[in-house]
């Protein structure tokens, strides 16, 4: 989809883990203007957590998009959505510490995601997982299938 010269991207992301920690996978579904999907997925190296795979899905999506894309990201992870929309600025202001003065978990991935999101037009939206939304369900299926790779 395009808005003038600016591409519009609507994407659904998800992460999965077998055990937590354990082997993990991530999935991304990008909706195309003709109603079809573009899908990407991958797996972790070794033991990881579900939250890390959720973040990795977001990183993989943004790393593949043009910087000028108007992007709408849908995730069933409140960790990712609230992290990007509510918590990130406070973490940075507090030296990457939470309001409870603990070090932010997964800081390596948050730093990568923050760098990729910088100066981009991105809207982050939470969707209820396993609620029958086709693109969200497909992102979940891709993430789960990637766990066993």
């Amino acid at each position: 989809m395009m808005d003038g010269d600016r591409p519009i991207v609507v994407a659904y992301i998800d992460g999965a883990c077998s055990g937590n920690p354990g082997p993990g996978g991530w999935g991304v579904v990008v909706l195309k203007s003709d109603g079809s999907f573009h899908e990407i997925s991958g797996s972790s190296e070794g033991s990881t957590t579900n939250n890390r795979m959720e973040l990795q899905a977001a990183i993989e999506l943004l790393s593949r998009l043009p910087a000028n894309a108007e992007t709408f990201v849908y995730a069933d992870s409140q960790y990712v959505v609230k992290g990007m929309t509510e918590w990130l600025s406070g973490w940075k202001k507090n030296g990457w510490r939470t309001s409870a003065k603990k070090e932010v978990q997964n800081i390596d991935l948050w730093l990568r995601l923050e760098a990729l999101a910088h100066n981009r037009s991105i809207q982050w939206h939470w969707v209820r997982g396993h609620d029958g939304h086709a693109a969200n369900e497909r992102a979940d299926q891709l993430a789960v299938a990637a766990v066993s790779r």
Side-chain angles (χ1 to χ4, degrees):
M1 292 180 267
M2 298 288 286
D3 178 19
D5 291 335
R6 185 179 199 159
I8 298 173
V9 176
V10 177
Y12 289 76
I13 62 172
D14 207 354
C17 210
S18 180
N20 201 14
W26 54 267
V28 176
V29 174
V30 178
L31 301 182
K32 294 184 175 183
S33 58
D34 65 2
S36 65
F37 300 157
H38 174 72
E39 303 173 342
I40 56 173
S41 62
S43 58
S44 69
E45 297 177 17
S47 186
T48 191
T49 65
N50 191 68
N51 282 343
R52 287 186 68 79
M53 291 295 91
E54 299 279 359
L55 288 166
Q56 191 64 46
I59 290 166
E60 296 294 339
L61 168 66
L62 295 184
S63 70
R64 289 169 167 79
L65 296 182
N68 70 333
E70 176 78 21
T71 307
F72 299 85
V73 180
Y74 293 85
D76 60 16
S77 168
Q78 289 197 23
Y79 178 66
V80 170
V81 173
K82 285 186 175 183
M84 291 304 292
T85 61
E86 298 176 25
W87 304 333
L88 188 64
S89 61
W91 290 341
K92 289 171 57 178
K93 201 180 322 180
N94 294 331
W96 290 96
R97 300 241 171 235
T98 67
S99 58
K101 307 293 185 229
K102 295 182 180 179
E103 185 175 300
V104 171
Q105 292 184 350
N106 304 310
I107 192 169
D108 58 328
L109 297 180
W110 282 114
L111 287 168
R112 286 177 58 201
L113 184 55
E114 178 202 20
L116 286 166
H118 185 71
N119 286 334
R120 290 182 182 234
S121 177
I122 304 171
Q123 292 184 31
W124 300 89
H125 301 277
W126 179 76
V127 295
R128 184 174 305 283
H130 309 290
D131 201 33
H133 191 286
N136 184 61
E137 296 291 340
R138 183 61 184 148
D140 177 68
Q141 291 168 355
L142 291 168
V144 169
V147 169
S148 60
R149 280 193 229 146

